[in-house]
């Protein structure tokens, strides 16, 4: 079996008593795209920073293509393209100067350096912005620049922390298509995002972290199946008049759960999978005076799976909830950063 692109084994990162990463183990095969999912503060950035050799684990190992991030950081930095969620820009440095600066830092020289910078600008479509100041770009173009910087050394593994955050829909679609091209080239991509629908579309697997523990690793479909404990059918119900009356009506009907408010009504779950029961519920709503103008069946999506997964964790139904104690003997003594 070939060496995984990313291999993490019993990884811990404590900040004082805070267990940011708490015994994490996973592998990502070469050439695959893996989405890293979790609530705010779940431990995604901390894990990714360790993979990028920017932080040390308290204990455990992390490897990129077989290279340990602590003992072989130079090899790791050669193999990995790191795109942080925020990155600093330099004043009075144009886009081309910015990329050229990082290409120099990576050791590119002369003609080869100019060529590499040009290739990256072509790929990210930054050519027309080459002479613009890098700290004055829009959010979408700043992300392109961050991606360009991460791609300079033509990395095998791309680690991207929330690259789509703050992007408008057009910029998100463009970023997604760039990621797709990179995936088709055979790069391994490890990407965190809160935009689950997009991750589901482009990822081979999803890694779900909660409270520093991995609670699920599999494809989007397995995550949907594993979390669908309640079953039933979902509907978007739109009514005329007082929108609150729908949630009040649901409270009186135990087989109907009100999930979220929407502009003129809300999203509900009907406990039964039988379509006759849905028809009966709709009939009762109308009989009880709700002026229903739309009753539209919806599919369960990854957001539902995410919320149901958190529900399972809260109820203690997922093993990730109770972490094993961290071994007391550190495997190495990391130097102070
Ligand atoms: P988000 O989705 O909000 O970006 P995340 O999953 O990336 O969250 P992390 O940034 O990894 O979460 O943070 C995990 C936990 O570790 C949080 O409670 C955070 O406050 C804490 N943390 C992260 N870095 C440090 C640090 N340098 N010192 C102390 N605590 C930290």
């Amino acid at each position: 079996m070939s060496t995984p692109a990313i291999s993490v084994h019993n990884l811990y990162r404590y900040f004082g008593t805070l267990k940011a990463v708490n015994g994490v183990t996973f592998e990502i095969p070469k050439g695959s795209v893996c989405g890293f999912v979790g609530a705010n503060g779940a431990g995604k950035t901390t894990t990714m920073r360790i993979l990028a050799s920017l932080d040390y684990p308290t204990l455990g190992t992390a490897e990129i293509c077989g290279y340990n991030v602590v003992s072989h950081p130079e090899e790791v930095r050669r193999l990995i393209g790191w795109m942080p969620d925020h990155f600093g820009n330099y004043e009075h440095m144009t886009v081309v100067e910015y990329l050229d600066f990082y290409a120099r830092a990576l050791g590119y020289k002369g003609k080869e350096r100019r060529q590499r910078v040009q290739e990256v600008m072509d790929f990210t479509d930054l050519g027309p912005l080459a002479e613009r100041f890098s700290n004055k770009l829009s959010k979408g173009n700043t992300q392109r620049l961050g991606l360009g910087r991460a791609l300079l050394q033509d990395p095998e593994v791309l680690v991207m922390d929330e690259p789509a955050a703050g992007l408008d829909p057009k910029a998100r679609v463009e970023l997604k298509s760039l990621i797709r091209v990179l995936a088709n080239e055979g790069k391994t991509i490890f990407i965190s995002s809160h935009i689950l629908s997009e991750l589901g579309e482009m990822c081979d697997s999803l890694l779900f972290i909660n409270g520093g523990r991995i609670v699920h690793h599999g494809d989007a479909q397995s995550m949907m199946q594993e979390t669908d404990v309640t079953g039933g059918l979902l509907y978007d119900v739109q009514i005329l008049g007082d929108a609150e009356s729908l949630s009040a009506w649901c409270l009186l009907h135990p087989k109907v759960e009100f999930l979220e408010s929407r502009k003129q009504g809300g999203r509900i779950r009907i406990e039964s999978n039988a379509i006759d029961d849905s028809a009966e519920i709709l009939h009762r709503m109308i009989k009880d005076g709700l002026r229903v103008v739309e009753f539209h069946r919806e599919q369960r999506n990854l957001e539902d799976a995410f919320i149901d997964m958190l529900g399972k964790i809260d109820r203690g139904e997922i093993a990730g909830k109770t972490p094993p104690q961290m071994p007391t003997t550190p495997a190495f003594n990391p130097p102070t950063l």
Side-chain angles (χ1 to χ4, degrees), residues 145-161:
L145 185 59
L147 178 61
R149 182 180 122 184
L151 291 175
L152 275 171
Q153 81 271 35
D154 196 18
E156 295 240 345
V157 180
L158 197 56
V159 177
M160 310 171 87
D161 194 5

Side-chain angles (χ1 to χ4, degrees), residues 80-328:
I80 206 171
W82 161 239
M83 189 174 164
D85 54 351
H86 294 101
F87 54 97
N89 269 329
Y90 301 101
E91 270 185 53
H92 309 305
M93 201 182 248
T94 63
V95 164
V96 67
E97 286 167 350
Y98 181 90
L99 291 172
D100 188 71
F101 171 80
Y102 279 98
R104 265 175 213 269
L106 287 164
Y108 284 97
K109 292 192 170 62
K111 193 170 161 222
E112 194 198 5
R113 191 179 73 238
R114 284 191 294 280
Q115 198 175 326
R116 188 63 200 141
V117 168
Q118 190 58 49
E119 281 167 2
V120 161
M121 284 204 303
D122 289 345
F123 180 75
T124 51
D125 210 12
L126 282 169
L129 304 174
E131 299 307 326
R132 292 269 293 274
F133 284 124
S134 58
N135 62 335
K136 297 271 162 40
L137 297 175
S138 67
K139 178 75 183 167
N141 288 328
T142 302
Q143 293 303 82
R144 280 171 187 275
L145 185 59
L147 178 61
R149 182 180 122 184
L151 291 175
L152 275 171
Q153 81 271 35
D154 196 18
E156 295 240 345
V157 180
L158 197 56
V159 177
M160 310 171 87
D161 194 5
E162 300 263 4
L167 297 189
D168 69 30
K170 182 167 172 278
R172 286 219 309 266
V173 169
E174 287 166 357
L175 180 72
K176 214 163 47 172
S177 66
L178 290 181
I179 291 172
R180 205 165 284 137
V181 173
L182 292 165
N184 289 341
E185 281 177 8
K187 304 223 179 284
T188 307
I189 300 175
F190 189 44
I191 176 172
S192 74
S193 176
H194 291 292
I195 307 167
L196 299 184
S197 49
E198 290 189 349
L199 279 189
E201 275 170 36
M202 70 180 151
C203 293
D204 301 304
S205 69
L206 294 176
L207 186 66
F208 193 131
I209 188 169
N210 187 69
R213 304 275 300 157
I214 300 300
V215 289
H216 177 85
H217 190 189
D219 60 17
Q221 208 181 347
S222 70
M223 182 162 150
M224 304 263 268
Q225 280 164 357
E226 192 183 310
T227 52
D228 192 9
V229 280
T230 33
L233 300 177
L234 303 172
Y235 288 89
D236 173 47
V237 184
Q238 299 290 304
I239 57 171
L240 289 182
D242 178 13
E244 300 285 308
S245 56
L246 177 65
S247 56
W249 186 90
C250 291
L251 278 177
L252 298 173
H253 294 80
K255 290 187 175 161
V256 187
E257 185 187 356
F258 187 81
L259 297 175
E260 63 176 286
S261 292
R262 287 186 174 165
K263 201 171 166 209
Q264 271 304 317
R267 190 162 186 252
I268 64 165
R269 185 200 308 267
I270 296 178
E271 207 176 81
S272 160
N273 284 317
I275 206 79
D276 285 10
D277 291 336
S278 293
E280 179 57 29
I281 297 285
L282 172 62
H283 177 69
R284 248 187 274 165
M285 278 181 182
I286 293 167
K287 221 171 127 207
D288 290 345
L290 288 179
R291 299 170 70 202
V292 181
V293 288
E294 204 163 314
F295 191 80
H296 172 72
R297 173 92 179 270
E298 289 199 344
Q299 294 304 317
R300 203 165 165 274
N301 57 32
L302 272 175
E303 267 85 13
D304 297 318
F306 181 87
I307 288 169
D308 290 345
M309 180 75 86
L310 293 178
K312 282 181 89 170
I313 293 165
D314 281 348
R315 293 190 297 276
E317 293 167 13
I318 288 188
K321 180 83 177 164
T322 45
Q325 280 302 303
M326 183 175 77
T328 46

Side-chain angles (χ1 to χ4, degrees), residues 15 18 20 38-47 85 161-162 194:
F15 297 107
L18 190 126
N40 292 129
K44 301 180 295 296
T45 301
T46 306
T47 306
D85 54 351
D161 194 5
E162 300 263 4
H194 291 292

